[in-house]
Amino acid sequence: MQGQVVVITGGAGGIGSAICHRLAQAGAQVVVLYRSDPQKAARLLESLPGGKHLSLQADVTQSSTLEQAARRVAEQYGRLDLLVNNAGITRPVPHDDLEALDDELIDQIFRTNWRGAFATVRAFRGLLEQSPAPLIVNISSVAAQTGLGSNIAYCASKAALDSLTRSLARALAPHIRVVSVSPGWVLGEYASRMDPALLEAQRTRTPLGRLATAEDVAQAVYAAAVYLPHTTGAVLPVDGGRPLG
């Protein structure tokens, strides 16, 4: 990936930061898109190996900010080789509490997790087409398949994201590849707010005996970019074999 240009939405978060580090270690020039914390993004840039990295403010629910970011990437790099749609939101709501899953929360989740990913692809498509081997990676979740997750809308949004992966893989072929990377539980900031007993129960149900880390997700993104040139429209699980548990 030496010299390649990558854009990562939600790049300053836990999973996003791990992806940034892994790709920078491989020689990529990393563009971190953040929504609201420029200091956090700046600290991340300072920690990345290599040079010519960049942080840009962009809200995936506001297409105009994505278009501005795409113009800035075009000015500075003139190309884009890998787009990682990592930005996402959720909030725990019991699946049987239909009243707590109000319309506003549902709309927020789909605006960010599905529409945001589509809008980001739309904004950066022109730059991706200038790469010799462009790739889009959508960070999904096994909740898309299991229907088990922080809330029903979150599960549905990730299922829609996987459907987007398949649709875009057809629509953008043969030049642009599109894959989903689909983690199970990932240790980090979100998981740290959960009941430790719940996390232990999830771990014991995982055939590989541990929950995923952000670095596991980052390795899957790297593998899709470097080792899977004939893969598109696929969902790559990073779940320790959870469906087998």
Side-chain angles (χ1 to χ4, degrees), residues 71-93:
R71 287 194 292 270
R72 180 66 187 281
V73 173
E75 291 168 0
Q76 180 146 337
Y77 302 103
R79 63 186 280 181
L80 177 61
D81 302 286
L82 170 59
L83 170 63
V84 181
N85 283 312
N86 173 67
I89 63 168
T90 192
R91 190 179 78 201
V93 178

Side-chain angles (χ1 to χ4, degrees), residues 28-50:
Q29 300 171 89
V30 173
V31 180
V32 179
L33 296 194
Y34 67 90
R35 182 176 65 86
S36 60
D37 194 340
Q39 289 78 22
K40 187 176 183 180
R43 290 193 297 272
L44 172 61
L45 284 192
E46 292 174 359
S47 71
L48 295 178

Side-chain angles (χ1 to χ4, degrees), residues 178-191:
V178 190
V179 301
S180 284
V181 166
S182 181
W185 277 91
V186 179
L187 294 173
E189 182 179 350
Y190 180 79

Side-chain angles (χ1 to χ4, degrees), residues 95 141-151 154-155 185 205 242:
H95 283 214
S141 169
V142 296
Q145 283 78 44
T146 65
L148 301 172
S150 51
N151 62 63
Y154 173 79
C155 297
W185 277 91
R205 290 178 55 196
R242 272 298 300 274

Side-chain angles (χ1 to χ4, degrees), residues 198-217:
L198 170 64
L199 293 179
E200 178 60 17
Q202 302 302 319
R203 186 194 67 78
T204 59
R205 290 178 55 196
T206 303
L208 291 187
R210 67 173 179 85
L211 301 182
T213 65
E215 289 71 25
D216 290 321
V217 181

Side-chain angles (χ1 to χ4, degrees), residues 125-136:
R125 177 183 181 179
L127 277 172
L128 286 164
E129 289 175 337
Q130 297 179 48
S131 169
L135 170 65
I136 298 165

